[in-house]
Amino acid sequence: MSGLAKSPFQKGTILECPPSADSENLGSVGRCTTHRPMNTTKNPTIVYLRVSTAEQETDSQGHQVLEYCKVRGWKPPLILRDAAPGASSSRPGLEQMLAQVRAGGVHQVVTYKLDRLGRSLTHLAIIVGELQMRNVALICTSQGIDTSKQNPVGQLQLGVLMAVAEFERALIKERTLAELEVARKKGKRLGRPPLDSRIVDLILEAETRLGRHVRAVAREIHASPSSVCRVFARFRPNAGQPGN
């Protein structure tokens, strides 16, 4: 029995897996096209696989995950793969998986381990929260995690995961506020730096000639529109809404 088709893939490659009727290998790949438009045919099962580099293979993940789908009698799943480090924010395969979930018709997302999915605990909680909101189960085959409503243990696992993620967010917020307080005590100015007084004078002078038109004034003195708006808001608060 042959394994998953071994072919180099780039980040975001979508592999559809429609094996022939007489094939016993659910992982036989029909075709591999990079960044093509997503299949409009609804597939209730999405398999998401990720490795850290393009040189690595997903065979070990794929065989276990696809066997899991096969044993349960599910139709051949849509397979999405990424080759990206865990902390990478650029994961086309993950983005397309979420887009497919949002389009509807997906019942379960199957992956090898939780760390294949999220960049961090907080990011993972966001993904799981969206799946839960759309009644899509998350299944991690190597960890026994199944968040479907028919699985009370999975619901408990989900609750624990969300609670830990909320705790992590609270800790991050607390650390950020503490660092800001230390910075204030050291006399550091927080927020945007003040505008140079010469820039302010140029903006106000241009306003007298061009009127209260943000883009015209910005072009005239080669400043950003946001800087012009800040000056108008501070020095001309009662002059009405600025125009474009």
Side-chain angles (χ1 to χ4, degrees), residues 6-13 50-58 81-85:
K6 289 181 176 291
S7 59
F9 59 92
Q10 299 175 0
K11 291 192 289 185
T13 298
R50 181 183 67 80
V51 290
S52 298
T53 67
E55 288 73 32
Q56 294 176 311
E57 298 286 348
T58 58
R81 301 184 183 186
D82 273 325

Side-chain angles (χ1 to χ4, degrees), residues 172-184 190:
I172 292 172
K173 181 179 179 180
E174 184 179 348
R175 285 196 299 267
T176 301
L177 292 175
E179 290 169 1
L180 290 174
E181 184 61 28
V182 170
R184 287 193 190 96
L190 304 176

Side-chain angles (χ1 to χ4, degrees), residues 9-77:
F9 59 92
Q10 299 175 0
K11 291 192 289 185
T13 298
I14 301 179
L15 297 177
E16 289 191 34
C17 177
S20 59
D22 58 349
S23 173
E24 293 184 355
N25 180 17
L26 190 58
S28 298
V29 178
R31 58 182 179 273
C32 174
T33 309
T34 304
H35 298 302
R36 62 173 177 78
M38 210 180 311
N39 188 357
T40 56
T41 302
K42 301 298 183 183
N43 193 318
T45 304
I46 294 179
V47 165
Y48 178 74
L49 308 172
R50 181 183 67 80
V51 290
S52 298
T53 67
E55 288 73 32
Q56 294 176 311
E57 298 286 348
T58 58
D59 288 21
S60 59
Q61 300 176 36
H63 279 302
Q64 184 182 115
V65 171
L66 293 171
E67 183 64 23
Y68 182 97
C69 298
K70 180 181 178 181
V71 167
R72 280 151 184 79
W74 295 341
K75 66 180 291 188

Side-chain angles (χ1 to χ4, degrees), residues 24-237:
E24 293 184 355
N25 180 17
L26 190 58
S28 298
V29 178
R31 58 182 179 273
C32 174
T33 309
T34 304
H35 298 302
R36 62 173 177 78
M38 210 180 311
N39 188 357
T40 56
T41 302
K42 301 298 183 183
N43 193 318
T45 304
I46 294 179
V47 165
Y48 178 74
L49 308 172
R50 181 183 67 80
V51 290
S52 298
T53 67
E55 288 73 32
Q56 294 176 311
E57 298 286 348
T58 58
D59 288 21
S60 59
Q61 300 176 36
H63 279 302
Q64 184 182 115
V65 171
L66 293 171
E67 183 64 23
Y68 182 97
C69 298
K70 180 181 178 181
V71 167
R72 280 151 184 79
W74 295 341
K75 66 180 291 188
L78 173 66
I79 304 175
L80 303 178
R81 301 184 183 186
D82 273 325
S88 174
S89 60
S90 176
R91 291 208 217 159
L94 178 62
E95 292 165 9
Q96 291 179 17
M97 181 269 282
L98 292 173
Q100 193 86 341
V101 166
R102 290 163 188 156
V106 178
H107 298 165
Q108 54 265 332
V109 170
V110 189
T111 189
Y112 182 64
K113 293 173 67 176
L114 280 176
D115 64 4
R116 300 296 90 191
L117 200 60
R119 295 194 307 270
S120 63
L121 184 57
T122 302
H123 181 233
L124 178 62
I126 292 172
I127 294 173
V128 173
E130 179 160 0
L131 295 178
Q132 185 184 34
M133 181 180 67
R134 300 180 187 279
N135 295 318
V136 177
L138 172 63
I139 299 169
C140 301
T141 59
S142 71
Q143 297 171 316
I145 295 174
D146 179 354
T147 66
S148 59
K149 291 184 177 179
Q150 295 80 13
N151 185 354
V153 175
Q155 291 295 302
L156 174 62
Q157 292 169 330
L158 180 61
V160 172
L161 173 65
M162 302 301 281
V164 172
E166 182 61 33
F167 178 65
E168 184 185 49
R169 283 194 292 267
L171 288 179
I172 292 172
K173 181 179 179 180
E174 184 179 348
R175 285 196 299 267
T176 301
L177 292 175
E179 290 169 1
L180 290 174
E181 184 61 28
V182 170
R184 287 193 190 96
K185 289 181 179 179
K186 290 182 177 180
K188 293 184 179 180
R189 183 184 177 89
L190 304 176
R192 287 183 175 181
L195 286 172
D196 190 292
S197 59
R198 292 171 296 178
I199 298 295
V200 173
D201 291 341
L202 287 172
I203 291 174
L204 296 177
E205 180 186 343
E207 184 206 9
T208 60
R209 292 182 286 103
L210 303 174
R212 196 174 171 81
H213 299 289
V214 173
R215 296 189 184 280
V217 171
R219 283 194 298 269
E220 175 74 13
I221 66 169
H222 304 290
S224 68
S226 61
S227 296
V228 175
C229 285
R230 287 171 62 191
V231 172
F232 284 175
R234 180 177 178 184
F235 295 96
R236 300 285 192 269

